[in-house]
CSV table of all heavy atoms in Angstrom, one decimal:
chain,number,residue,atom,x,y,z
V,1,GLY,N,176.6,138.4,102.6
V,1,GLY,CA,176.8,138.8,101.2
V,1,GLY,C,177.9,138.0,100.5
V,1,GLY,O,178.2,138.3,99.3
V,2,ARG,N,178.5,137.0,101.2
V,2,ARG,CA,179.5,136.2,100.5
V,2,ARG,C,178.9,135.1,99.7
V,2,ARG,O,177.8,134.6,100.0
V,2,ARG,CB,180.5,135.6,101.6
V,2,ARG,CG,181.2,136.6,102.4
V,2,ARG,CD,182.0,136.0,103.5
V,2,ARG,NE,183.1,135.2,102.9
V,2,ARG,CZ,183.8,134.3,103.7
V,2,ARG,NH1,183.6,134.2,104.9
V,2,ARG,NH2,184.8,133.6,103.1
V,3,GLU,N,179.6,134.8,98.6
V,3,GLU,CA,179.0,133.7,97.7
V,3,GLU,C,179.9,132.5,97.7
V,3,GLU,O,181.1,132.6,97.6
V,3,GLU,CB,178.8,134.3,96.3
V,3,GLU,CG,177.8,135.4,96.2
V,3,GLU,CD,177.6,135.9,94.8
V,3,GLU,OE1,178.4,135.6,94.0
V,3,GLU,OE2,176.7,136.7,94.6
V,4,PHE,N,179.3,131.3,97.9
V,4,PHE,CA,180.0,130.1,97.8
V,4,PHE,C,179.4,129.1,96.8
V,4,PHE,O,178.2,129.2,96.6
V,4,PHE,CB,180.0,129.4,99.2
V,4,PHE,CG,180.7,130.1,100.3
V,4,PHE,CD1,180.0,131.1,101.1
V,4,PHE,CD2,182.0,129.9,100.6
V,4,PHE,CE1,180.7,131.8,102.1
V,4,PHE,CE2,182.7,130.5,101.6
V,4,PHE,CZ,182.0,131.5,102.4
V,5,SER,N,180.2,128.3,96.2
V,5,SER,CA,179.7,127.2,95.3
V,5,SER,C,178.9,126.3,96.2
V,5,SER,O,179.1,126.1,97.3
V,5,SER,CB,180.9,126.5,94.7
V,5,SER,OG,180.4,125.3,94.1
V,6,ILE,N,177.8,125.7,95.5
V,6,ILE,CA,177.0,124.7,96.2
V,6,ILE,C,177.9,123.6,96.7
V,6,ILE,O,177.7,123.0,97.8
V,6,ILE,CB,175.9,124.2,95.2
V,6,ILE,CG1,174.9,125.2,95.0
V,6,ILE,CG2,175.3,122.9,95.8
V,6,ILE,CD1,173.9,125.4,96.1
V,7,ASN,N,178.9,123.2,95.9
V,7,ASN,CA,179.8,122.1,96.3
V,7,ASN,C,180.6,122.4,97.6
V,7,ASN,O,181.2,121.5,98.1
V,7,ASN,CB,180.7,121.8,95.2
V,7,ASN,CG,180.0,121.0,94.1
V,7,ASN,OD1,179.2,120.2,94.4
V,7,ASN,ND2,180.3,121.4,92.8
V,8,GLU,N,180.7,123.7,98.0
V,8,GLU,CA,181.4,124.1,99.2
V,8,GLU,C,180.5,124.0,100.5
V,8,GLU,O,181.0,124.2,101.6
V,8,GLU,CB,182.0,125.5,99.1
V,8,GLU,CG,183.0,125.6,98.0
V,8,GLU,CD,183.5,127.1,97.9
V,8,GLU,OE1,184.5,127.4,98.6
V,8,GLU,OE2,182.9,127.8,97.1
V,9,ARG,N,179.2,123.7,100.3
V,9,ARG,CA,178.3,123.6,101.4
V,9,ARG,C,178.3,122.2,102.0
V,9,ARG,O,179.0,121.3,101.5
V,9,ARG,CB,176.9,124.0,100.9
V,9,ARG,CG,176.8,125.4,100.4
V,9,ARG,CD,176.9,126.5,101.5
V,9,ARG,NE,178.3,126.8,101.8
V,9,ARG,CZ,178.6,127.6,102.9
V,9,ARG,NH1,177.7,128.1,103.7
V,9,ARG,NH2,179.9,127.9,103.1
V,10,SER,N,177.5,122.0,103.0
V,10,SER,CA,177.5,120.7,103.7
V,10,SER,C,176.9,119.6,102.8
V,10,SER,O,176.2,119.9,101.9
V,10,SER,CB,176.7,120.9,105.0
V,10,SER,OG,175.3,121.1,104.7
V,11,LYS,N,177.1,118.4,103.2
V,11,LYS,CA,176.5,117.3,102.5
V,11,LYS,C,175.0,117.4,102.5
V,11,LYS,O,174.3,117.1,101.5
V,11,LYS,CB,176.9,115.9,103.1
V,11,LYS,CG,176.3,114.7,102.4
V,11,LYS,CD,176.7,113.4,103.1
V,11,LYS,CE,178.1,113.1,102.8
V,11,LYS,NZ,178.5,111.7,103.3
V,12,GLY,N,174.4,117.8,103.7
V,12,GLY,CA,173.0,117.9,103.8
V,12,GLY,C,172.4,119.0,102.8
V,12,GLY,O,171.4,118.8,102.2
V,13,CYS,N,173.1,120.1,102.7
V,13,CYS,CA,172.7,121.2,101.8
V,13,CYS,C,172.8,120.7,100.4
V,13,CYS,O,171.8,120.9,99.6
V,13,CYS,CB,173.6,122.4,102.1
V,13,CYS,SG,173.2,123.8,101.0
V,14,LYS,N,173.8,120.0,100.0
V,14,LYS,CA,174.0,119.5,98.6
V,14,LYS,C,172.9,118.5,98.3
V,14,LYS,O,172.3,118.5,97.2
V,14,LYS,CB,175.4,118.9,98.4
V,14,LYS,CG,176.5,120.0,98.4
V,14,LYS,CD,177.8,119.4,98.0
V,14,LYS,CE,178.4,118.5,99.1
V,14,LYS,NZ,179.7,118.0,98.7
V,15,TRP,N,172.6,117.6,99.3
V,15,TRP,CA,171.6,116.6,99.1
V,15,TRP,C,170.2,117.2,98.8
V,15,TRP,O,169.5,116.9,97.9
V,15,TRP,CB,171.5,115.7,100.3
V,15,TRP,CG,170.5,114.5,100.1
V,15,TRP,CD1,170.8,113.3,99.6
V,15,TRP,CD2,169.1,114.6,100.3
V,15,TRP,NE1,169.6,112.6,99.5
V,15,TRP,CE2,168.6,113.4,99.9
V,15,TRP,CE3,168.3,115.6,100.8
V,15,TRP,CZ2,167.2,113.1,100.0
V,15,TRP,CZ3,166.9,115.3,100.9
V,15,TRP,CH2,166.4,114.1,100.5
V,16,PHE,N,169.9,118.2,99.7
V,16,PHE,CA,168.6,118.8,99.6
V,16,PHE,C,168.5,119.6,98.3
V,16,PHE,O,167.4,119.6,97.7
V,16,PHE,CB,168.4,119.8,100.8
V,16,PHE,CG,167.0,120.2,101.0
V,16,PHE,CD1,166.0,119.3,101.5
V,16,PHE,CD2,166.6,121.5,100.7
V,16,PHE,CE1,164.7,119.7,101.7
V,16,PHE,CE2,165.2,121.9,100.9
V,16,PHE,CZ,164.3,120.9,101.4
V,17,PHE,N,169.5,120.3,97.9
V,17,PHE,CA,169.5,121.0,96.6
V,17,PHE,C,169.3,120.1,95.5
V,17,PHE,O,168.4,120.3,94.6
V,17,PHE,CB,170.9,121.7,96.5
V,17,PHE,CG,171.0,122.5,95.2
V,17,PHE,CD1,170.5,123.8,95.0
V,17,PHE,CD2,171.7,121.9,94.1
V,17,PHE,CE1,170.7,124.5,93.8
V,17,PHE,CE2,171.8,122.6,92.9
V,17,PHE,CZ,171.3,123.9,92.8
V,18,SER,N,170.0,119.0,95.4
V,18,SER,CA,169.8,118.0,94.4
V,18,SER,C,168.5,117.4,94.4
V,18,SER,O,167.8,117.2,93.3
V,18,SER,CB,170.9,116.9,94.5
V,18,SER,OG,172.2,117.4,94.4
V,19,PHE,N,168.0,117.0,95.6
V,19,PHE,CA,166.7,116.4,95.7
V,19,PHE,C,165.6,117.3,95.1
V,19,PHE,O,164.7,116.8,94.3
V,19,PHE,CB,166.3,116.2,97.2
V,19,PHE,CG,164.9,115.6,97.4
V,19,PHE,CD1,164.6,114.3,97.2
V,19,PHE,CD2,163.9,116.5,97.9
V,19,PHE,CE1,163.4,113.8,97.4
V,19,PHE,CE2,162.7,116.0,98.1
V,19,PHE,CZ,162.4,114.7,97.9
V,20,LEU,N,165.5,118.6,95.4
V,20,LEU,CA,164.5,119.4,94.9
V,20,LEU,C,164.7,119.8,93.4
V,20,LEU,O,163.8,119.9,92.6
V,20,LEU,CB,164.4,120.7,95.7
V,20,LEU,CG,163.8,120.5,97.1
V,20,LEU,CD1,163.7,121.9,97.8
V,20,LEU,CD2,162.5,119.9,97.1
V,21,ILE,N,166.0,119.9,93.0
V,21,ILE,CA,166.3,120.2,91.6
V,21,ILE,C,165.7,119.0,90.7
V,21,ILE,O,165.1,119.3,89.7
V,21,ILE,CB,167.8,120.3,91.4
V,21,ILE,CG1,168.3,121.7,91.8
V,21,ILE,CG2,168.2,120.0,89.9
V,21,ILE,CD1,167.9,122.8,90.9
V,22,PHE,N,165.9,117.8,91.2
V,22,PHE,CA,165.5,116.6,90.4
V,22,PHE,C,164.1,116.1,90.7
V,22,PHE,O,163.8,115.0,90.1
V,22,PHE,CB,166.6,115.5,90.5
V,22,PHE,CG,167.9,115.8,89.7
V,22,PHE,CD1,168.9,116.4,90.4
V,22,PHE,CD2,167.9,115.6,88.4
V,22,PHE,CE1,170.1,116.7,89.7
V,22,PHE,CE2,169.1,115.9,87.7
V,22,PHE,CZ,170.2,116.5,88.3
V,23,THR,N,163.4,116.8,91.5
V,23,THR,CA,162.0,116.4,91.8
V,23,THR,C,161.1,117.6,91.6
V,23,THR,O,160.3,117.6,90.7
V,23,THR,CB,161.8,115.8,93.2
V,23,THR,OG1,162.3,116.7,94.2
V,23,THR,CG2,162.6,114.5,93.3
V,24,GLU,N,161.2,118.5,92.5
V,24,GLU,CA,160.3,119.7,92.5
V,24,GLU,C,160.3,120.4,91.1
V,24,GLU,O,159.2,120.8,90.6
V,24,GLU,CB,160.7,120.7,93.6
V,24,GLU,CG,159.7,121.9,93.7
V,24,GLU,CD,158.3,121.5,94.1
V,24,GLU,OE1,158.2,120.4,94.8
V,24,GLU,OE2,157.4,122.2,93.8
V,25,PHE,N,161.5,120.6,90.5
V,25,PHE,CA,161.5,121.3,89.2
V,25,PHE,C,161.3,120.3,88.1
V,25,PHE,O,160.7,120.7,87.1
V,25,PHE,CB,162.9,122.0,89.1
V,25,PHE,CG,163.1,123.2,89.9
V,25,PHE,CD1,163.8,123.1,91.1
V,25,PHE,CD2,162.5,124.4,89.6
V,25,PHE,CE1,164.0,124.2,91.9
V,25,PHE,CE2,162.6,125.5,90.4
V,25,PHE,CZ,163.4,125.4,91.6
V,26,ARG,N,161.7,119.1,88.2
V,26,ARG,CA,161.5,118.1,87.2
V,26,ARG,C,160.1,117.8,86.9
V,26,ARG,O,159.7,117.5,85.7
V,26,ARG,CB,162.3,116.8,87.5
V,26,ARG,CG,162.2,115.7,86.5
V,26,ARG,CD,163.0,116.1,85.2
V,26,ARG,NE,164.4,116.3,85.5
V,26,ARG,CZ,165.3,115.3,85.5
V,26,ARG,NH1,165.0,114.1,85.2
V,26,ARG,NH2,166.6,115.6,85.7
V,27,LYS,N,159.2,117.9,87.9
V,27,LYS,CA,157.8,117.5,87.7
V,27,LYS,C,157.1,118.5,86.8
V,27,LYS,O,156.0,118.1,86.3
V,27,LYS,CB,157.1,117.5,89.1
V,27,LYS,CG,156.9,118.8,89.7
V,27,LYS,CD,156.3,118.6,91.1
V,27,LYS,CE,156.0,120.0,91.8
V,27,LYS,NZ,155.5,119.8,93.1
V,28,THR,N,157.7,119.6,86.4
V,28,THR,CA,157.0,120.5,85.5
V,28,THR,C,157.1,120.0,84.1
V,28,THR,O,156.4,120.6,83.2
V,28,THR,CB,157.7,121.9,85.6
V,28,THR,OG1,159.1,121.8,85.2
V,28,THR,CG2,157.6,122.5,87.0
V,29,ARG,N,157.9,119.0,83.8
V,29,ARG,CA,158.0,118.6,82.4
V,29,ARG,C,156.8,117.9,81.9
V,29,ARG,O,156.4,118.1,80.7
V,29,ARG,CB,159.2,117.6,82.3
V,29,ARG,CG,160.6,118.2,82.5
V,29,ARG,CD,161.6,117.2,82.1
V,29,ARG,NE,163.0,117.7,82.6
V,29,ARG,CZ,164.1,117.0,82.4
V,29,ARG,NH1,164.0,115.8,81.9
V,29,ARG,NH2,165.2,117.5,82.9
V,30,SER,N,156.1,117.1,82.7
V,30,SER,CA,154.9,116.5,82.3
V,30,SER,C,154.1,116.1,83.5
V,30,SER,O,154.5,116.2,84.6
V,30,SER,CB,155.2,115.2,81.4
V,30,SER,OG,156.0,114.3,82.2
V,31,GLU,N,152.8,115.7,83.3
V,31,GLU,CA,151.9,115.4,84.4
V,31,GLU,C,152.1,114.0,84.8
V,31,GLU,O,152.5,113.1,84.1
V,31,GLU,CB,150.5,115.6,83.9
V,31,GLU,CG,150.1,117.0,83.6
V,31,GLU,CD,148.6,117.2,83.3
V,31,GLU,OE1,147.9,116.1,83.1
V,31,GLU,OE2,148.1,118.3,83.1
V,32,ASN,N,151.8,113.8,86.1
V,32,ASN,CA,151.8,112.4,86.8
V,32,ASN,C,153.1,111.6,86.5
V,32,ASN,O,153.1,110.4,86.3
V,32,ASN,CB,150.6,111.6,86.2
V,32,ASN,CG,149.3,112.2,86.7
V,32,ASN,OD1,149.2,112.6,87.8
V,32,ASN,ND2,148.3,112.2,85.8
V,33,ILE,N,154.3,112.3,86.6
V,33,ILE,CA,155.5,111.6,86.6
V,33,ILE,C,155.6,110.7,87.8
V,33,ILE,O,155.2,111.0,88.9
V,33,ILE,CB,156.7,112.6,86.7
V,33,ILE,CG1,156.8,113.5,85.4
V,33,ILE,CG2,158.0,111.9,86.9
V,33,ILE,CD1,157.9,114.5,85.4
V,34,LEU,N,156.0,109.5,87.5
V,34,LEU,CA,156.2,108.5,88.6
V,34,LEU,C,157.7,108.6,89.1
V,34,LEU,O,158.6,108.2,88.4
V,34,LEU,CB,155.9,107.1,88.2
V,34,LEU,CG,156.2,105.9,89.1
V,34,LEU,CD1,155.5,106.2,90.5
V,34,LEU,CD2,155.8,104.6,88.5
V,35,PHE,N,157.9,109.0,90.3
V,35,PHE,CA,159.2,109.1,90.9
V,35,PHE,C,159.4,107.8,91.7
V,35,PHE,O,158.6,107.5,92.6
V,35,PHE,CB,159.3,110.3,91.8
V,35,PHE,CG,159.4,111.6,91.1
V,35,PHE,CD1,158.3,112.4,90.9
V,35,PHE,CD2,160.7,112.1,90.6
V,35,PHE,CE1,158.4,113.6,90.2
V,35,PHE,CE2,160.8,113.3,90.0
V,35,PHE,CZ,159.6,114.0,89.8
V,36,LEU,N,160.5,107.1,91.4
V,36,LEU,CA,161.0,106.0,92.2
V,36,LEU,C,162.2,106.4,93.0
V,36,LEU,O,163.3,106.6,92.4
V,36,LEU,CB,161.3,104.8,91.3
V,36,LEU,CG,160.2,104.4,90.3
V,36,LEU,CD1,160.7,103.3,89.3
V,36,LEU,CD2,158.9,103.9,91.0
V,37,LEU,N,162.0,106.5,94.3
V,37,LEU,CA,163.1,107.0,95.2
V,37,LEU,C,163.6,105.9,96.1
V,37,LEU,O,162.8,105.5,97.0
V,37,LEU,CB,162.6,108.2,96.0
V,37,LEU,CG,161.8,109.3,95.2
V,37,LEU,CD1,161.3,110.4,96.1
V,37,LEU,CD2,162.7,109.9,94.1
V,38,ASP,N,164.8,105.5,96.0
V,38,ASP,CA,165.4,104.4,96.8
V,38,ASP,C,166.1,105.0,98.0
V,38,ASP,O,167.1,105.6,97.9
V,38,ASP,CB,166.3,103.6,95.9
V,38,ASP,CG,166.7,102.3,96.6
V,38,ASP,OD1,166.0,101.9,97.6
V,38,ASP,OD2,167.5,101.6,96.1
V,39,GLU,N,165.4,104.9,99.2
V,39,GLU,CA,165.9,105.3,100.4
V,39,GLU,C,166.4,106.8,100.4
V,39,GLU,O,167.5,107.1,100.7
V,39,GLU,CB,167.1,104.5,100.9
V,39,GLU,CG,166.6,103.0,101.2
V,39,GLU,CD,167.7,102.2,101.9
V,39,GLU,OE1,168.5,102.8,102.7
V,39,GLU,OE2,167.7,101.0,101.8
V,40,PRO,N,165.4,107.7,100.0
V,40,PRO,CA,165.8,109.1,100.0
V,40,PRO,C,166.2,109.6,101.4
V,40,PRO,O,165.6,109.2,102.4
V,40,PRO,CB,164.5,109.8,99.5
V,40,PRO,CG,163.4,108.9,99.9
V,40,PRO,CD,164.0,107.5,99.7
V,41,ALA,N,167.1,110.5,101.4
V,41,ALA,CA,167.6,111.1,102.7
V,41,ALA,C,168.3,110.2,103.6
V,41,ALA,O,168.5,110.4,104.8
V,41,ALA,CB,166.4,111.8,103.4
V,42,SER,N,168.7,109.0,103.1
V,42,SER,CA,169.4,108.0,103.9
V,42,SER,C,170.8,108.6,104.4
V,42,SER,O,171.3,108.1,105.4
V,42,SER,CB,169.7,106.7,103.1
V,42,SER,OG,170.5,107.0,102.0
V,43,ASN,N,171.3,109.6,103.8
V,43,ASN,CA,172.5,110.2,104.2
V,43,ASN,C,172.3,111.4,105.2
V,43,ASN,O,173.3,112.0,105.7
V,43,ASN,CB,173.3,110.8,103.0
V,43,ASN,CG,173.8,109.6,102.2
V,43,ASN,OD1,174.8,108.9,102.5
V,43,ASN,ND2,173.2,109.4,101.0
V,44,LEU,N,171.1,111.7,105.6
V,44,LEU,CA,170.8,112.7,106.5
V,44,LEU,C,170.5,112.1,107.9
V,44,LEU,O,170.2,111.0,108.1
V,44,LEU,CB,169.6,113.5,106.0
V,44,LEU,CG,169.7,114.3,104.7
V,44,LEU,CD1,168.4,115.0,104.4
V,44,LEU,CD2,170.9,115.1,104.6
C-alpha cells in the first residue's frame, strides 16, 4: 500500500513505463503511426 514516485523505481521500471507511455498510448492519436526506435531496450 505504499506509494513511490516513478522516478524512485529502477531504471528498468522507468524505461518500460516511458516506452509504453510513448508508444502504446501514443498510437491512439492517429492510424498507422510509423515508430522509429533506435536500439530500444539497450539499457536492459
Side-chain angles (χ1 to χ4, degrees):
R2 300 177 64 190
E3 292 179 352
F4 294 89
S5 168
I6 289 287
N7 286 318
E8 296 179 90
R9 298 290 84 188
S10 68
K11 179 184 286 188
C13 178
K14 290 188 289 185
W15 182 93
F16 195 72
F17 178 82
S18 298
F19 174 78
L20 289 183
I21 281 288
F22 286 95
T23 57
E24 183 66 26
F25 288 102
R26 183 67 62 88
K27 71 185 183 185
T28 62
R29 291 189 191 177
S30 59
E31 293 183 353
N32 293 322
I33 292 177
L34 172 57
F35 287 95
L36 306 176
L37 311 178
D38 196 6
E39 299 192 24
S42 59
N43 292 285
L44 299 183

